[in-house]
Amino acid sequence: MTAYFIQAFIYLCAAVIAVPLAKRFGLGSVLGYLIAGVVIGPVVGLVGEETETLQHFAEFGVVMMLFLVGLELEPRMLWSMRNRLLGLGGMQVTLTATAIMSISLLFGIDWRIALTIGLILALSSTAIVLQTLNEKGLTRTEGGRGAFAVLLFQDIAVIPMLALIPLLEIPELAETAQSLVAQTTDTHGHLELISGLPNWIYAMVVLGAIATVVLGGHYLSRPLFRFVAQSELREVFTATALMLVIGIAALMSLVGLSPALGTFLAGVVLANSEFKHELETNIEPFKGLLLGLFFITVGAGIDFAVLVQNWMLVTTLVAAVIVIKAGVVYLLARTFGIGSSDRWLVTLGLAQAGEFGFVLLAFSLQNNVIPADIAQLLALVVAISMFLTPALFIFFDQVLVPRFETSDAQREEDVIDGKGSVLIAGIGRFGQIVNRLLVANGIETIVLDHDARQVDNLRQLDVKSYFGDATRPDLLETAGLKEVDLFVIAIDDRERAVELAQHIRQRCPRLAILARAFDQIHYYQLKQAGADFIIKETYHAALDMGCEALTRLGFHPFRAEQLKNAFITTENETVEDMYQSWTSSTESGISPGYRELFMQQEAAIRAAMKSDRSDRHSVSERGWNPPPKGYAEEIANTTDADDIVDGNLSGNN
Amino acid sequence: MPNKILILFAHPSQHRSEVNLPLIETSKTIEDVTVIDLYAEYPDYCIDIEREQQLLREHDIIVFMFPLYWYSTPSILKEWQDLVLEYGFAYGHDGTELHGKKLLCAITAGGSETAYKTHGYNHYTIRQLLRPIEQTATLCGMLYLPPYALFGSRTALEDGKVVQHLENWKGILDCLRHNRIDVERAETAEKLNECVKQTLGMNP
């Protein structure tokens, strides 16, 4: 037990130190984990043989990652980017894999190994690239979208690759592996249900398992989640999410399919579910930690002896990989009409190999597709090309962007093109109306509410809404807090609305927050919390009612409208003073100064309502004041119109 | 000191604008020019009289920029006149704040230029149709300049006339800033182009 604690501590400690440092130097978290692994493994030698066992366990992070990738794949979004996805992405994977395979064949490598190498190196690093694009605010540019399409295609392409690689098994490698395995009485395979079944039954079992995932995900998950959500126990929901992913992984292993494939499918099935964001939020930390662990084990497994012995070869290979990958993407970007600096962004952004390369490497090694020495070499190539990515981005920023500065007009269009998206927290009687107006105008909204029944009702009315507690920071992140242009707070809980405003202001200083207040004090609280626009929910409704009352009492409707506007104007003039006074008032109650200001405001409003026609400063009727009686004669007598014109001409500089 | 120019822009459906919007965007880039988009500032028509009067005080030349609606301005510009040009500010006893300033209209009209003639189907020229504004300017002691107009505006983009119109407008703003205006011709000229003293070649 003590040994486990010590090991766990070493791993966590390495991650805790290395990852924040790597982020600070702009290297990204993936590289941070790799560095941590390198340090505790080959450099210091704190960890040893257990890394391989750990790696099998950590691979479950990849399974979870594919579940999350699946969850993100809404059919509608996929359809809208089908050209880029299949064209740009598909061609990138195919051409790069073919090019690298051909070169490997030239060096006399077995075709099966060559193909595997091609597939492994065709992938780029989703984690590094998306994070960097996000940090630099480039996700919405032409180049950013192109890169996203390619990365998404690669993430999906991993699934068929995982299915393909076992078919490439090389018997000689299998033999050597088996002789090794024989010594350690392996558990491999004996839990599989399918050993010894006739082929047609096997096919039925596989189809049955897939059907279970798809149909179960579609029909059974909702009642289950709703049942769990109504218990309002957060940890039970987390348990349910884990149960779902682990259950599917177990089922797939039992029938001899890839667990990653199964969870990916389940993710796609649940992509339209109202529980999507809640699921993502619950799985995300597990995925993050396990993937981190996976990268640490990869780093720990890097053999420095290999690097030192073959440094010439490794350097050449890294350079070749970057040149080939960049070349393919550059040509494709040109074909797909991605212009100027954006083309270079995609090209340099996707020139590295990626984290899925490690996954496929480990997988190929297990399946005896690739010899251990080549795998070692490739792991170095993948890792070093990833290390170089930040350097390529710096090269793009410093050298290439200035050259394209003149074609900035193009970038402006990008901004106008996107209509923007809005996150709405709370879809009760207030949020609903806001949402309807926005959606009717084709604006994309993401709606969150913590009441599963409410979300369910709205879904039946075709309102795209998600179950989830909007005051949870992690849920906001997965719902896309970083991507939206506006945030609307319309939740019923007063205190939590204020906390939410504070949190968003801290997290995204420039995101505009529109908040609904219950009353004046709540208004001040939200203002203090950093909301940009606040509206009291009853204010305009009550004023309209007052206006109607005035009309029914004999005021002319237009005059009543003017009085209402004068009321609003006068009140707005004092709101800042009242707010200042409120911020200085004590906990115990309203300060005397505030009360005084309130009375002054009331007096100002009463004064504004007075309809003294001769008073030029009457707010309510300003502008429709007729000139004084007899003014026409005055103008005719005192100033001849011609005089004015003459005076004007001469007096004009 | 160059003249300061205030453009009061009134266009209620800017998402469909093909001429006025580029015209406004161009104007914004020019020094000494202030642009007020009236429909954006006052979507509820509650015009801030105090603020508008202060803007008038701070500028030497006032431009009403609008698409011609029923031979007149879009309604918010009429509202603006009714509210801002108060007795005692713009006219009447002590109402001298606008004396000596200049006023002109920059408009787009759907009909062709031949329609806006005595024998055309609109029977009057643009200058004649905008007489109420001319007289308003005169009563307020301002010098009225003839309108700057683009005819056939619905097809101007297709006809390739917009670029030239924008270039001309830039030239005019420059002349206005530096007082290169033939004031005598302005009294009777039908079009503004006839009374600016251009330095560069310009299509009248």
Side-chain angles (χ1 to χ4, degrees), chain A residues 18 67 125 127 162 203 209 238 301 326 336 347 372 420 423 438 456 491 533 559 563 594 641:
Chain A
F67 178 67
S125 173
L162 286 172
T238 311
F336 280 79
T347 303
L423 220 165
L438 294 177
D456 199 34
I491 57 175
F533 175 84
R559 170 122 176 83
L563 292 171
Y594 183 86

Side-chain angles (χ1 to χ4, degrees), chain A residues 111-133:
Chain A
W111 71 269
R112 288 166 291 196
I113 300 175
L115 175 57
T116 313
I117 297 175
L119 293 178
I120 288 170
L121 295 181
L123 304 177
S124 309
S125 173
T126 309
I128 295 182
V129 178
L130 283 193
Q131 192 189 327
T132 314
L133 290 177

Side-chain angles (χ1 to χ4, degrees), chain A residues 397-416:
Chain A
D397 273 345
Q398 302 293 329
V399 181
L400 293 173
V401 171
R403 285 205 202 173
F404 290 103
E405 222 85 287
T406 42
S407 58
D408 248 10
Q410 232 174 345
R411 189 152 295 174
E412 245 175 272
E413 275 174 28
D414 267 358
V415 180
I416 300 164

Side-chain angles (χ1 to χ4, degrees), chain A residues 456-640:
Chain A
D456 199 34
N457 291 340
L458 286 166
R459 284 221 154 206
Q460 284 172 12
L461 299 172
D462 270 350
V463 177
K464 205 172 125 196
S465 44
Y466 298 100
F467 166 78
D469 181 350
T471 55
R472 275 175 70 185
D474 44 356
L475 184 75
L476 288 178
E477 300 287 320
T478 45
L481 180 63
K482 290 274 179 60
E483 286 88 45
V484 295
D485 304 282
L486 281 181
F487 196 103
V488 175
I489 300 177
I491 57 175
D492 282 334
D493 189 316
R494 298 173 59 126
E495 278 76 34
R496 294 180 103 171
V498 176
E499 283 165 24
L500 184 56
Q502 271 166 347
H503 170 73
I504 301 164
R505 184 43 72 240
Q506 235 171 23
R507 199 82 189 82
C508 309
R510 274 176 298 175
L511 178 64
I513 304 172
L514 316 186
R516 177 268 304 260
F518 283 88
D519 52 34
Q520 198 61 34
I521 300 300
H522 197 220
Y523 179 101
Y524 298 144
Q525 289 170 334
L526 285 164
K527 188 172 159 75
Q528 199 173 33
D532 297 279
F533 175 84
I534 309 150
I535 202 154
K536 282 180 283 177
E537 61 168 2
T538 50
Y539 189 65
H540 289 286
L543 279 173
D544 280 351
M545 180 81 94
C547 205
E548 177 66 21
L550 285 177
T551 309
R552 283 170 186 257
L553 290 170
F555 283 74
H556 186 279
F558 188 59
R559 170 122 176 83
E561 185 72 19
Q562 294 309 121
L563 292 171
K564 184 184 93 179
N565 289 334
F567 184 97
I568 296 172
T569 312
T570 318
E571 205 178 57
N572 281 346
E573 276 165 10
T574 47
V575 78
E576 187 59 36
D577 287 344
M578 307 256 301
Y579 169 67
Q580 291 304 339
S581 167
W582 173 82
T583 50
S584 58
S585 61
T586 52
E587 287 287 314
S588 57
I590 301 164
S591 71
Y594 183 86
R595 197 172 301 118
E596 200 174 301
L597 274 170
F598 185 79
M599 301 313 287
Q600 277 174 18
Q601 190 187 53
E602 286 303 296
I605 289 172
R606 272 197 300 278
M609 296 295 129
K610 283 202 181 124
S611 52
D612 183 0
R613 286 186 166 290
S614 64
D615 178 10
R616 216 170 76 83
H617 293 286
S618 153
V619 184
S620 67
E621 232 189 341
R622 183 94 189 261
W624 285 279
N625 290 339
K629 289 184 195 293
Y631 88 105
E633 292 79 6
E634 177 197 315
I635 288 178
N637 295 335
T638 56
T639 44
D640 193 311

Side-chain angles (χ1 to χ4, degrees), chain B residues 44-55:
Chain B
D44 55 2
Y45 274 58
C46 290
I47 289 172
D48 184 340
I49 299 167
E50 211 61 66
R51 171 172 177 251
E52 291 301 316
Q53 290 184 345
Q54 189 53 36
L55 279 169

Side-chain angles (χ1 to χ4, degrees), chain A residues 10-11 35-48 51 296 299-302 304:
Chain A
I10 291 172
Y11 278 96
I35 295 169
V38 170
V39 171
I40 60 172
V43 174
V44 183
L46 280 174
V47 292
T51 48
I296 294 182
I302 286 182
F304 268 75

